PDB file of all heavy atoms in Angstrom:
ATOM      1  N   VAL P   1       0.831  -1.196   0.000  1.00  0.00           N
ATOM      2  CA  VAL P   1       0.000   0.000   0.000  1.00  0.00           C
ATOM      3  C   VAL P   1       0.870   1.252   0.000  1.00  0.00           C
ATOM      4  O   VAL P   1       1.907   1.303   0.646  1.00  0.00           O
ATOM      5  CB  VAL P   1      -0.976   0.034   1.197  1.00  0.00           C
ATOM      6  CG1 VAL P   1      -2.048  -1.019   1.024  1.00  0.00           C
ATOM      7  CG2 VAL P   1      -0.253  -0.161   2.518  1.00  0.00           C
ATOM      8  N   GLY P   2       0.424   2.240  -0.760  1.00  0.00           N
ATOM      9  CA  GLY P   2       1.153   3.495  -0.888  1.00  0.00           C
ATOM     10  C   GLY P   2       0.417   4.387  -1.867  1.00  0.00           C
ATOM     11  O   GLY P   2      -0.702   4.089  -2.292  1.00  0.00           O
ATOM     12  N   PHE P   3       1.068   5.465  -2.278  1.00  0.00           N
ATOM     13  CA  PHE P   3       0.366   6.499  -3.032  1.00  0.00           C
ATOM     14  C   PHE P   3       1.004   6.837  -4.372  1.00  0.00           C
ATOM     15  O   PHE P   3       0.754   7.910  -4.919  1.00  0.00           O
ATOM     16  CB  PHE P   3       0.248   7.753  -2.162  1.00  0.00           C
ATOM     17  CG  PHE P   3      -0.543   7.505  -0.910  1.00  0.00           C
ATOM     18  CD1 PHE P   3       0.083   7.531   0.332  1.00  0.00           C
ATOM     19  CD2 PHE P   3      -1.889   7.218  -0.967  1.00  0.00           C
ATOM     20  CE1 PHE P   3      -0.641   7.288   1.486  1.00  0.00           C
ATOM     21  CE2 PHE P   3      -2.621   6.958   0.184  1.00  0.00           C
ATOM     22  CZ  PHE P   3      -1.998   7.003   1.416  1.00  0.00           C
ATOM     23  N   ALA P   4       1.780   5.923  -4.910  1.00  0.00           N
ATOM     24  CA  ALA P   4       2.326   6.144  -6.248  1.00  0.00           C
ATOM     25  C   ALA P   4       2.674   4.791  -6.864  1.00  0.00           C
ATOM     26  O   ALA P   4       3.125   3.887  -6.157  1.00  0.00           O
ATOM     27  CB  ALA P   4       3.564   7.037  -6.201  1.00  0.00           C
ATOM     28  N   PRO P   5       2.434   4.686  -8.196  1.00  0.00           N
ATOM     29  CA  PRO P   5       1.871   5.703  -9.082  1.00  0.00           C
ATOM     30  C   PRO P   5       0.390   5.950  -8.764  1.00  0.00           C
ATOM     31  O   PRO P   5      -0.282   5.078  -8.217  1.00  0.00           O
ATOM     32  CB  PRO P   5       2.050   5.107 -10.471  1.00  0.00           C
ATOM     33  CG  PRO P   5       2.037   3.615 -10.234  1.00  0.00           C
ATOM     34  CD  PRO P   5       2.718   3.422  -8.913  1.00  0.00           C
ATOM     35  N   ALA P   6      -0.079   7.161  -9.136  1.00  0.00           N
ATOM     36  CA  ALA P   6      -1.449   7.532  -8.788  1.00  0.00           C
ATOM     37  C   ALA P   6      -2.093   8.294  -9.927  1.00  0.00           C
ATOM     38  O   ALA P   6      -1.779   9.465 -10.153  1.00  0.00           O
ATOM     39  CB  ALA P   6      -1.438   8.391  -7.524  1.00  0.00           C
ATOM     40  N   ALA P   7      -2.984   7.633 -10.647  1.00  0.00           N
ATOM     41  CA  ALA P   7      -3.779   8.344 -11.657  1.00  0.00           C
ATOM     42  C   ALA P   7      -4.668   9.348 -10.949  1.00  0.00           C
ATOM     43  O   ALA P   7      -5.136   9.105  -9.829  1.00  0.00           O
ATOM     44  CB  ALA P   7      -4.618   7.356 -12.454  1.00  0.00           C
ATOM     45  N   PRO P   8      -4.925  10.498 -11.542  1.00  0.00           N
ATOM     46  CA  PRO P   8      -5.732  11.535 -10.872  1.00  0.00           C
ATOM     47  C   PRO P   8      -7.087  11.059 -10.380  1.00  0.00           C
ATOM     48  O   PRO P   8      -7.583  11.543  -9.357  1.00  0.00           O
ATOM     49  CB  PRO P   8      -5.869  12.609 -11.954  1.00  0.00           C
ATOM     50  CG  PRO P   8      -4.656  12.435 -12.812  1.00  0.00           C
ATOM     51  CD  PRO P   8      -4.389  10.960 -12.839  1.00  0.00           C
ATOM     52  N   ASN P   9      -7.682  10.100 -11.083  1.00  0.00           N
ATOM     53  CA  ASN P   9      -9.003   9.627 -10.652  1.00  0.00           C
ATOM     54  C   ASN P   9      -8.926   8.479  -9.651  1.00  0.00           C
ATOM     55  O   ASN P   9      -9.947   7.873  -9.321  1.00  0.00           O
ATOM     56  CB  ASN P   9      -9.827   9.193 -11.864  1.00  0.00           C
ATOM     57  CG  ASN P   9      -9.226   7.990 -12.575  1.00  0.00           C
ATOM     58  OD1 ASN P   9      -8.076   7.615 -12.328  1.00  0.00           O
ATOM     59  ND2 ASN P   9     -10.007   7.375 -13.460  1.00  0.00           N
ATOM     60  N   ARG P  10      -7.718   8.164  -9.163  1.00  0.00           N
ATOM     61  CA  ARG P  10      -7.545   7.055  -8.233  1.00  0.00           C
ATOM     62  C   ARG P  10      -7.121   7.518  -6.837  1.00  0.00           C
ATOM     63  O   ARG P  10      -6.835   6.687  -5.973  1.00  0.00           O
ATOM     64  CB  ARG P  10      -6.501   6.062  -8.787  1.00  0.00           C
ATOM     65  CG  ARG P  10      -7.050   5.094  -9.814  1.00  0.00           C
ATOM     66  CD  ARG P  10      -8.181   4.258  -9.226  1.00  0.00           C
ATOM     67  NE  ARG P  10      -8.353   3.003  -9.903  1.00  0.00           N
ATOM     68  CZ  ARG P  10      -9.203   2.045  -9.521  1.00  0.00           C
ATOM     69  NH1 ARG P  10      -9.934   2.240  -8.462  1.00  0.00           N
ATOM     70  NH2 ARG P  10      -9.316   0.929 -10.183  1.00  0.00           N
ATOM     71  N   HIS P  11      -7.069   8.808  -6.596  1.00  0.00           N
ATOM     72  CA  HIS P  11      -6.620   9.292  -5.293  1.00  0.00           C
ATOM     73  C   HIS P  11      -7.494   8.772  -4.160  1.00  0.00           C
ATOM     74  O   HIS P  11      -6.994   8.255  -3.149  1.00  0.00           O
ATOM     75  CB  HIS P  11      -6.601  10.823  -5.279  1.00  0.00           C
ATOM     76  CG  HIS P  11      -5.592  11.426  -6.196  1.00  0.00           C
ATOM     77  ND1 HIS P  11      -5.476  12.788  -6.382  1.00  0.00           N
ATOM     78  CD2 HIS P  11      -4.638  10.865  -6.983  1.00  0.00           C
ATOM     79  CE1 HIS P  11      -4.495  13.029  -7.246  1.00  0.00           C
ATOM     80  NE2 HIS P  11      -3.997  11.875  -7.634  1.00  0.00           N
ATOM     81  N   GLU P  12      -8.789   8.890  -4.307  1.00  0.00           N
ATOM     82  CA  GLU P  12      -9.706   8.454  -3.256  1.00  0.00           C
ATOM     83  C   GLU P  12      -9.609   6.951  -3.030  1.00  0.00           C
ATOM     84  O   GLU P  12      -9.657   6.471  -1.885  1.00  0.00           O
ATOM     85  CB  GLU P  12     -11.133   8.847  -3.625  1.00  0.00           C
ATOM     86  CG  GLU P  12     -12.152   8.557  -2.533  1.00  0.00           C
ATOM     87  CD  GLU P  12     -13.547   9.050  -2.874  1.00  0.00           C
ATOM     88  OE1 GLU P  12     -13.684   9.864  -3.819  1.00  0.00           O
ATOM     89  OE2 GLU P  12     -14.503   8.627  -2.202  1.00  0.00           O
ATOM     90  N   TRP P  13      -9.445   6.196  -4.109  1.00  0.00           N
ATOM     91  CA  TRP P  13      -9.319   4.736  -3.988  1.00  0.00           C
ATOM     92  C   TRP P  13      -8.062   4.369  -3.204  1.00  0.00           C
ATOM     93  O   TRP P  13      -8.101   3.486  -2.327  1.00  0.00           O
ATOM     94  CB  TRP P  13      -9.274   4.125  -5.389  1.00  0.00           C
ATOM     95  CG  TRP P  13      -9.305   2.625  -5.410  1.00  0.00           C
ATOM     96  CD1 TRP P  13     -10.413   1.823  -5.472  1.00  0.00           C
ATOM     97  CD2 TRP P  13      -8.174   1.738  -5.388  1.00  0.00           C
ATOM     98  NE1 TRP P  13     -10.045   0.496  -5.486  1.00  0.00           N
ATOM     99  CE2 TRP P  13      -8.678   0.410  -5.428  1.00  0.00           C
ATOM    100  CE3 TRP P  13      -6.796   1.932  -5.326  1.00  0.00           C
ATOM    101  CZ2 TRP P  13      -7.841  -0.697  -5.416  1.00  0.00           C
ATOM    102  CZ3 TRP P  13      -5.959   0.822  -5.299  1.00  0.00           C
ATOM    103  CH2 TRP P  13      -6.480  -0.482  -5.350  1.00  0.00           C
ATOM    104  N   LEU P  14      -6.946   5.034  -3.484  1.00  0.00           N
ATOM    105  CA  LEU P  14      -5.694   4.741  -2.786  1.00  0.00           C
ATOM    106  C   LEU P  14      -5.786   5.116  -1.315  1.00  0.00           C
ATOM    107  O   LEU P  14      -5.258   4.403  -0.449  1.00  0.00           O
ATOM    108  CB  LEU P  14      -4.534   5.477  -3.455  1.00  0.00           C
ATOM    109  CG  LEU P  14      -4.139   4.974  -4.842  1.00  0.00           C
ATOM    110  CD1 LEU P  14      -3.141   5.922  -5.492  1.00  0.00           C
ATOM    111  CD2 LEU P  14      -3.547   3.558  -4.765  1.00  0.00           C
ATOM    112  N   ILE P  15      -6.465   6.210  -1.023  1.00  0.00           N
ATOM    113  CA  ILE P  15      -6.666   6.588   0.379  1.00  0.00           C
ATOM    114  C   ILE P  15      -7.516   5.545   1.086  1.00  0.00           C
ATOM    115  O   ILE P  15      -7.220   5.138   2.220  1.00  0.00           O
ATOM    116  CB  ILE P  15      -7.314   7.986   0.466  1.00  0.00           C
ATOM    117  CG1 ILE P  15      -6.292   9.066   0.092  1.00  0.00           C
ATOM    118  CG2 ILE P  15      -7.870   8.249   1.869  1.00  0.00           C
ATOM    119  CD1 ILE P  15      -6.877  10.465  -0.001  1.00  0.00           C
ATOM    120  N   GLY P  16      -8.574   5.070   0.440  1.00  0.00           N
ATOM    121  CA  GLY P  16      -9.420   4.044   1.034  1.00  0.00           C
ATOM    122  C   GLY P  16      -8.673   2.747   1.275  1.00  0.00           C
ATOM    123  O   GLY P  16      -8.927   2.048   2.270  1.00  0.00           O
ATOM    124  N   LEU P  17      -7.756   2.417   0.373  1.00  0.00           N
ATOM    125  CA  LEU P  17      -6.949   1.212   0.548  1.00  0.00           C
ATOM    126  C   LEU P  17      -6.052   1.358   1.779  1.00  0.00           C
ATOM    127  O   LEU P  17      -5.980   0.456   2.620  1.00  0.00           O
ATOM    128  CB  LEU P  17      -6.105   0.963  -0.702  1.00  0.00           C
ATOM    129  CG  LEU P  17      -5.344  -0.360  -0.762  1.00  0.00           C
ATOM    130  CD1 LEU P  17      -6.302  -1.543  -0.791  1.00  0.00           C
ATOM    131  CD2 LEU P  17      -4.421  -0.395  -1.985  1.00  0.00           C
ATOM    132  N   MET P  18      -5.364   2.494   1.908  1.00  0.00           N
ATOM    133  CA  MET P  18      -4.484   2.720   3.049  1.00  0.00           C
ATOM    134  C   MET P  18      -5.276   2.789   4.352  1.00  0.00           C
ATOM    135  O   MET P  18      -4.864   2.217   5.371  1.00  0.00           O
ATOM    136  CB  MET P  18      -3.681   4.012   2.853  1.00  0.00           C
ATOM    137  CG  MET P  18      -2.709   4.322   3.982  1.00  0.00           C
ATOM    138  SD  MET P  18      -1.314   3.164   4.102  1.00  0.00           S
ATOM    139  CE  MET P  18      -0.251   3.803   2.796  1.00  0.00           C
ATOM    140  N   GLU P  19      -6.416   3.458   4.331  1.00  0.00           N
ATOM    141  CA  GLU P  19      -7.224   3.571   5.543  1.00  0.00           C
ATOM    142  C   GLU P  19      -7.702   2.196   6.004  1.00  0.00           C
ATOM    143  O   GLU P  19      -7.670   1.879   7.201  1.00  0.00           O
ATOM    144  CB  GLU P  19      -8.415   4.487   5.307  1.00  0.00           C
ATOM    145  CG  GLU P  19      -9.283   4.685   6.557  1.00  0.00           C
ATOM    146  CD  GLU P  19     -10.408   5.677   6.357  1.00  0.00           C
ATOM    147  OE1 GLU P  19     -10.698   6.029   5.188  1.00  0.00           O
ATOM    148  OE2 GLU P  19     -11.004   6.103   7.363  1.00  0.00           O
ATOM    149  N   GLY P  20      -8.128   1.362   5.070  1.00  0.00           N
ATOM    150  CA  GLY P  20      -8.628   0.052   5.440  1.00  0.00           C
ATOM    151  C   GLY P  20      -7.547  -0.876   5.937  1.00  0.00           C
ATOM    152  O   GLY P  20      -7.720  -1.591   6.926  1.00  0.00           O
ATOM    153  N   VAL P  21      -6.397  -0.879   5.273  1.00  0.00           N
ATOM    154  CA  VAL P  21      -5.316  -1.803   5.618  1.00  0.00           C
ATOM    155  C   VAL P  21      -4.575  -1.336   6.863  1.00  0.00           C
ATOM    156  O   VAL P  21      -4.260  -2.128   7.755  1.00  0.00           O
ATOM    157  CB  VAL P  21      -4.333  -1.958   4.442  1.00  0.00           C
ATOM    158  CG1 VAL P  21      -3.106  -2.768   4.849  1.00  0.00           C
ATOM    159  CG2 VAL P  21      -5.036  -2.610   3.255  1.00  0.00           C
ATOM    160  N   GLU P  22      -4.275  -0.050   6.934  1.00  0.00           N
ATOM    161  CA  GLU P  22      -3.358   0.444   7.962  1.00  0.00           C
ATOM    162  C   GLU P  22      -4.005   1.366   8.992  1.00  0.00           C
ATOM    163  O   GLU P  22      -3.302   1.945   9.828  1.00  0.00           O
ATOM    164  CB  GLU P  22      -2.174   1.160   7.298  1.00  0.00           C
ATOM    165  CG  GLU P  22      -1.390   0.291   6.326  1.00  0.00           C
ATOM    166  CD  GLU P  22      -0.779  -0.953   6.980  1.00  0.00           C
ATOM    167  OE1 GLU P  22      -0.650  -0.972   8.217  1.00  0.00           O
ATOM    168  OE2 GLU P  22      -0.442  -1.903   6.249  1.00  0.00           O
ATOM    169  N   ASP P  23      -5.322   1.529   8.940  1.00  0.00           N
ATOM    170  CA  ASP P  23      -6.036   2.314   9.952  1.00  0.00           C
ATOM    171  C   ASP P  23      -5.433   3.714  10.113  1.00  0.00           C
ATOM    172  O   ASP P  23      -5.188   4.184  11.220  1.00  0.00           O
ATOM    173  CB  ASP P  23      -6.040   1.574  11.293  1.00  0.00           C
ATOM    174  CG  ASP P  23      -6.885   2.272  12.364  1.00  0.00           C
ATOM    175  OD1 ASP P  23      -7.853   2.949  11.982  1.00  0.00           O
ATOM    176  OD2 ASP P  23      -6.547   2.155  13.555  1.00  0.00           O
ATOM    177  N   ILE P  24      -5.159   4.367   8.986  1.00  0.00           N
ATOM    178  CA  ILE P  24      -4.739   5.765   8.976  1.00  0.00           C
ATOM    179  C   ILE P  24      -5.950   6.581   8.525  1.00  0.00           C
ATOM    180  O   ILE P  24      -6.509   6.294   7.463  1.00  0.00           O
ATOM    181  CB  ILE P  24      -3.552   5.997   8.031  1.00  0.00           C
ATOM    182  CG1 ILE P  24      -2.374   5.106   8.434  1.00  0.00           C
ATOM    183  CG2 ILE P  24      -3.134   7.461   8.031  1.00  0.00           C
ATOM    184  CD1 ILE P  24      -1.212   5.143   7.449  1.00  0.00           C
ATOM    185  N   PRO P  25      -6.381   7.564   9.301  1.00  0.00           N
ATOM    186  CA  PRO P  25      -7.618   8.273   8.954  1.00  0.00           C
ATOM    187  C   PRO P  25      -7.605   8.821   7.530  1.00  0.00           C
ATOM    188  O   PRO P  25      -6.711   9.578   7.141  1.00  0.00           O
ATOM    189  CB  PRO P  25      -7.674   9.404   9.986  1.00  0.00           C
ATOM    190  CG  PRO P  25      -6.886   8.895  11.147  1.00  0.00           C
ATOM    191  CD  PRO P  25      -5.788   8.066  10.545  1.00  0.00           C
ATOM    192  N   GLY P  26      -8.611   8.439   6.746  1.00  0.00           N
ATOM    193  CA  GLY P  26      -8.686   8.907   5.367  1.00  0.00           C
ATOM    194  C   GLY P  26      -8.829  10.412   5.269  1.00  0.00           C
ATOM    195  O   GLY P  26      -8.309  11.039   4.342  1.00  0.00           O
TER     196      GLY P  26
END
């Protein structure tokens, strides 16, 4: 899990992935 590469329309999806896996507030 991480934030690159990141297509502009995938920012929210990547945040949701990190929040779900690592319990970091979205």
Side-chain angles (χ1 to χ4, degrees):
V1 290
F3 298 112
N9 65 347
R10 279 301 205 175
H11 294 176
E12 186 176 345
W13 187 90
L14 290 171
I15 287 174
L17 188 64
M18 181 68 80
E19 182 176 14
V21 172
E22 302 300 341
D23 186 29
I24 302 173

